[in-house]
Amino acid sequence: MARDAEQTVGRPNRLAVLLSMAMFVLVVDTSLMNVSISAVVRDLDTTASRVQSAIALEALVSAAFILIGGKVGDLIGRKRAYVLGLLGYAVGAVAMTVSQSLAPIVICWALIGGIGASLLLPAMQSLIHGNFEGKAQTKVYAMVGAAAAIAAAVGPLIGGFITTFLSWRVGFALEGVIIAVVLSGIGLIRNVEYAGPRHIDLVGAVLSVVGMGGVVLGILVWQEGGDRVFALIGLGVVALAGLAYWLVRRKRANRPALLDPGLFGSHLFRAGITGQLLQQITLGGIMIALPIYLQMVLEYNALEAGLSLAPLSLTMFGVALLAGRRAGKRRPAAIIRTGFLLLSLGTAVLIPLVPRAGFGWQLLIPLAVAGAGLGLLVSQLNNYTLSPVEDERVSEAAAVNSAGGSFGLSFGLAFAGAIMLATLSLSFTTLADRSTVLDPGEKQEVAQALEQNAEVMTNEHLDTLLAGRSPEVHDEIIRINTEARPVALQTALIIPLLAALLGLLNAFRMTRLPDPRPSSGDSNLLG
């Protein structure tokens, strides 16, 4: 073990780059999908809401299985779990490159890729924790956070360029090439052994999947206009409550459990997980509403949408990199508080701008402010949450940390999307009912169509669907669509704003706690 450590010391930069490349793939994957929504809809002859559901499903699967993924990493080795996670992403990338319908993408990209993420995220955080110490560990966490920001920055830009001038499939093919490069250097990573109990808690595993999966799946079903929404969400909530009870019961009986509930005895850990959850809800909500606005309302192509989102992603990257290097003696909690403050301000300013912006770059200032806030958060939150955790519990802690982020992202995507479509349906129906041009039969037809499938669509697409209608009816429905879409998108943006404000409140709580200190091998979690 000592010899391995000595070898690792001689190559920390290469190892950090390798781990950062893995995180790059993880984030750029969803960025590519978001900016290519309109092209995917057109090429696969599907709808925007179905593509949105596939995006949210991928995040859902990742969140639902991530606690199990952390335990699998304990049992088979964190390095092996890391490799399997990358291979899962490779399967998804290949599927996106060759599929001719949405079904293989749902199976390979959303399901298999989501399971890959559930293995990759906790394994990666455990490997960082086990391969680096002290200031080096803090810098690598910041570097990996910066890699996520780089992916968020170049994903829309490069993805938009490739989608516009070549094909969105080429972007995913290049993603597969990056995965191959990462796998070719896997020998640089020293495995982090797990010395805890190796039993499998099947009950806890099932409850975690049903709990986190049920909540987000219920919201996705609502988004698609399905039935039994409240039953699914209720099942998820009950399962999560059952998981908490089960874990405490197993702890008291001194029996192995999916994870140690004692982790949550740390005030620092709870505050960090809460911040991670709320940051990702905010990001998920923004990244479902803005690409739809740019591509379906302003009718931008993928490149134009990517360029419009550049202020968010580029500022996020620059600030994350700067904060990782220049944080100095500033308190992590104070940096996190500033991050949530900027994120809240940027999101709040976006809401009134959405119906008034005639082109994407009118959103530059609020996107840059929100991006600066996200950059501060990604540079600090992971290290804040995991640095005080002792080595034998880091895999569990990393899994919970990753679960909070993945669940938050999937919840933000699904809930903001569902709110957007529900508001669109209500606004469209209300405006149709008030219309003096549409007759009662046409109003009823609009209501039935929305009940079956509320869909954010371009006026050009709607123009095609209305072929054969009288000019008066055609113009009236186009007018109603033009007025209803911004209201729906504004309402959807309220979700990330509320999450950012809650994150700000949580950050004020963080400032009243002692700063986290890196744990020694046998230390306890700081409270």
Side-chain angles (χ1 to χ4, degrees):
M1 187 70 70
R3 184 175 143 192
D4 286 342
E6 289 172 7
Q7 291 175 340
T8 302
V9 169
R11 50 189 178 185
N13 292 333
R14 286 180 292 164
L15 180 53
V17 168
L18 188 68
L19 293 165
S20 298
M21 288 177 67
M23 179 56 78
F24 178 91
V25 168
L26 199 70
V27 177
V28 80
D29 187 70
T30 302
S31 296
L32 284 172
M33 192 65 156
N34 277 323
V35 80
S36 304
I37 287 177
S38 59
V40 174
V41 167
R42 182 180 61 251
D43 290 354
L44 300 184
D45 192 24
T46 184
T47 67
S49 66
R50 289 176 181 171
V51 177
Q52 292 168 38
S53 294
I55 294 171
L57 181 62
E58 193 270 346
L60 160 66
V61 172
S62 171
F65 287 92
I66 205 159
L67 292 178
I68 301 173
K71 191 63 178 178
V72 169
D74 291 343
L75 298 177
I76 68 173
R78 281 74 177 264
K79 184 175 178 179
R80 188 172 297 166
Y82 173 79
V83 171
L84 291 175
L86 285 169
L87 290 175
Y89 261 80
V91 169
V94 171
M96 294 297 295
T97 304
V98 302
S99 294
Q100 300 301 313
S101 68
L102 192 62
I105 290 174
V106 169
I107 294 170
C108 297
W109 183 79
L111 296 179
I112 296 178
I115 292 172
S118 73
L119 291 169
L120 181 59
L121 275 168
M124 186 189 309
Q125 293 186 26
S126 296
L127 290 171
I128 293 173
H129 194 91
N131 280 267
F132 299 90
E133 295 180 354
K135 291 183 179 179
Q137 186 182 97
T138 302
K139 288 181 179 179
V140 174
Y141 274 125
M143 185 173 177
V144 170
I150 293 171
V154 304
L157 294 171
I158 296 180
F161 180 86
I162 292 172
T163 299
T164 301
F165 296 106
L166 297 172
S167 168
W168 53 274
R169 299 179 187 277
V170 175
F172 287 97
L174 292 174
E175 184 182 311
V177 172
I178 295 174
I179 294 172
V181 171
V182 173
L183 289 172
S184 70
I186 201 67
L188 291 172
I189 297 179
R190 175 172 61 87
N191 189 33
V192 179
E193 299 293 341
Y194 174 67
R198 305 186 69 83
H199 297 84
I200 299 176
D201 178 12
L202 291 177
V203 174
V206 171
L207 288 172
S208 72
V209 171
V210 174
M212 287 186 284
V215 172
V216 180
L217 183 60
I219 297 171
L220 287 176
V221 170
W222 175 33
Q223 180 175 312
E224 290 295 317
D227 299 325
R228 301 183 180 178
V229 171
F230 291 109
L232 284 169
I233 295 175
L235 176 63
V237 171
V238 170
L240 287 174
L243 175 62
Y245 171 77
W246 174 259
L247 294 176
V248 172
R249 180 182 171 186
R250 298 282 285 188
K251 172 81 170 180
R252 288 173 179 170
N254 199 27
R255 301 184 67 182
L258 180 66
L259 60 93
D260 183 359
L263 284 170
F264 295 94
S266 165
H267 297 300
L268 292 173
F269 187 77
R270 290 201 307 269
I273 291 293
T274 303
Q276 186 81 265
L277 173 74
L278 293 169
Q279 176 213 338
Q280 292 298 325
I281 291 176
T282 306
L283 181 60
I286 290 174
M287 293 313 294
I288 201 66
L290 290 184
I292 290 291
Y293 169 71
L294 294 167
Q295 296 177 70
M296 300 298 170
V297 177
L298 299 184
E299 300 188 19
Y300 279 5
N301 61 31
L303 178 58
E304 291 168 329
L307 288 170
S308 299
L309 291 172
L312 177 75
S313 50
L314 290 174
T315 307
M316 180 180 171
F317 161 59
V319 171
L321 198 61
L322 186 64
R325 291 179 175 178
R326 301 291 180 87
K329 294 183 179 180
R330 296 177 182 87
R331 295 191 64 200
I335 296 175
I336 292 168
R337 181 182 59 192
T338 304
F340 273 115
L341 176 62
L342 293 174
L343 184 55
S344 300
L345 289 173
T347 307
V349 175
L350 281 173
I351 295 175
L353 278 181
V354 162
R356 295 173 176 83
F359 53 93
W361 279 86
Q362 284 182 281
L363 307 177
L364 186 152
I365 293 176
L367 285 178
V369 172
L374 286 168
L376 292 175
L377 294 175
V378 299
S379 74
Q380 300 295 319
L381 273 174
N382 280 331
N383 190 60
Y384 180 96
T385 307
L386 297 178
S387 62
V389 181
E390 63 268 25
D391 289 345
E392 63 268 22
R393 302 171 74 185
V394 69
S395 183
E396 289 179 324
V400 175
N401 187 44
S402 299
S406 294
F407 180 76
L409 182 63
S410 61
F411 184 87
L413 288 165
F415 193 54
I419 290 292
M420 177 175 62
L421 294 179
T423 306
L424 177 71
S425 179
L426 179 62
S427 299
F428 213 111
T429 302
T430 302
L431 291 170
D433 286 340
R434 293 175 182 171
S435 173
T436 58
V437 175
L438 302 179
D439 62 40
E442 289 165 336
K443 293 178 181 178
Q444 182 65 27
E445 185 181 348
V446 167
Q448 290 176 346
L450 289 170
E451 184 177 349
Q452 294 174 358
N453 183 29
E455 174 71 26
V456 180
M457 62 178 67
T458 64
N459 283 340
E460 182 181 354
H461 185 196
L462 187 58
D463 187 66
T464 302
L465 295 177
L466 293 173
R469 299 278 185 165
S470 68
E472 294 80 8
V473 170
H474 172 279
D475 292 345
E476 180 69 357
I477 293 180
I478 292 292
R479 179 191 69 80
I480 291 172
N481 188 51
T482 302
E483 291 184 21
R485 291 176 309 184
V487 175
L489 289 160
Q490 283 180 303
T491 306
L493 284 170
I494 292 174
I495 304 304
L497 174 60
L498 290 175
L501 290 172
L502 289 173
L504 181 60
L505 290 176
N506 182 64
F508 275 105
R509 174 174 167 247
M510 286 179 169
T511 59
R512 294 195 296 268
L513 298 173
D515 289 335
R517 299 190 303 273
S519 68
S520 60
D522 57 355
S523 66
N524 294 319
L525 276 169
L526 300 175

